[in-house]
Amino acid sequence: KNEVEQSPQNLTAQEGEFITINCSYSVGISALHWLQQHPGGGIVSLFMLSSGKKKHGRLIATINIQEKHSSLHITASHPRDSAVYICAVQSGNTPLVFGKGTRLSVIA
Amino acid sequence: KAGVTQTPRYLIKTRGQQVTLSCSPISGHRSVSWYQQTPGQGLQFLFEYFSETQRNKGNFPGRFSGRQFSNSRSEMNVSTLELGDSALYLCASSFRGAEETQYFGPGTRLLVL
């Protein structure tokens, strides 16, 4: 079974800072998902990637398949980015395996 | 297009009771997955249904069951509730399954007393 580790567990940043959240996994995968969960519980899928890099607005996700590692970057962070960010991996037809999440607080 | 809906949003039950939760996927989506989220264990996969067939099942006891109807709506049932079943239950839908973007519902928050 894939083990998914995220770091850091908690992160506090000042508005405007560049933020990096890391995710590593133990077994080869076919796809990696980055999810965002706001207080109240709703989850939004930010990215799904299997190689390289994807960008959406101020968010950038990268993955290194050889090193079994992915990063989520937030540029020019804003208080509305405060949320829990969750990494999840998927192999073939198997269900998603989740990391424990990174709790981000961005202070104005 | 309407998003994934879950009912009820909040539920309080007592130990030993049973509960049924409902999930309506995005129109056209045939895959529905269910997840349990607790502070201690995080998000864990319960089961996935695709075209009315259970395609994958997580490591949960037999008290947890589910089904999917011909219109892709899905229900999950938990019998003989235990205190540890208190959690946020989320469903997610997609066209084909976990190998593509998942669209999550708002969740049902279950409290077992």
Side-chain angles (χ1 to χ4, degrees), chain A residues 30-31 33 35 37 40-45 47-48 86 90 92-100, chain B residues 9 35 37 40-45 48 55-57 88 90 98-102 104-106 109:
Chain A
S30 49
H33 301 247
L35 310 171
Q37 186 172 32
I43 292 179
V44 173
S45 179
F47 296 103
M48 187 186 74
I86 302 167
Q90 191 254 334
N93 244 351
T94 61
L96 293 178
V97 177
F98 299 87
K100 296 285 190 202
Chain B
R9 294 292 312 278
Y35 303 95
Q37 187 178 36
Q41 298 297 318
L43 272 163
Q44 295 183 92
F45 170 77
E48 181 202 1
R55 193 155 70 170
N56 275 303
K57 188 176 191 308
L88 179 67
L90 292 149
E99 67 271 29
E100 55 183 16
T101 298
Q102 301 289 293
F104 285 81
R109 195 168 293 277

Side-chain angles (χ1 to χ4, degrees), chain A residues 20-83:
Chain A
T20 296
I21 299 170
N22 297 297
C23 174
S24 60
Y25 49 92
S26 57
V27 178
I29 61 171
S30 49
L32 182 142
H33 301 247
W34 280 104
L35 310 171
Q36 180 192 56
Q37 186 172 32
H38 279 284
I43 292 179
V44 173
S45 179
L46 298 174
F47 296 103
M48 187 186 74
L49 62 166
S50 54
S51 65
K53 175 178 170 178
K54 287 191 176 180
K55 184 176 190 290
H56 182 70
R58 295 179 296 105
L59 302 178
I60 304 165
T62 64
I63 187 167
N64 185 318
I65 296 294
Q66 287 73 31
E67 294 187 4
K68 298 186 178 61
H69 180 269
S70 175
S71 293
L72 176 68
H73 305 287
I74 304 175
T75 61
S77 59
H78 190 276
R80 65 175 175 267
D81 297 326
S82 298

Side-chain angles (χ1 to χ4, degrees), chain B residues 9-47:
Chain B
R9 294 292 312 278
Y10 304 92
L11 206 46
I12 299 175
K13 292 284 188 179
T14 56
R15 276 184 302 174
Q17 287 187 309
Q18 74 156 17
V19 67
T20 298
L21 311 182
S22 180
C23 172
S24 292
I26 290 172
S27 178
H29 285 188
R30 293 161 66 189
S31 169
V32 175
S33 296
W34 287 90
Y35 303 95
Q36 181 197 64
Q37 187 178 36
T38 59
Q41 298 297 318
L43 272 163
Q44 295 183 92
F45 170 77
L46 279 158
F47 22 68

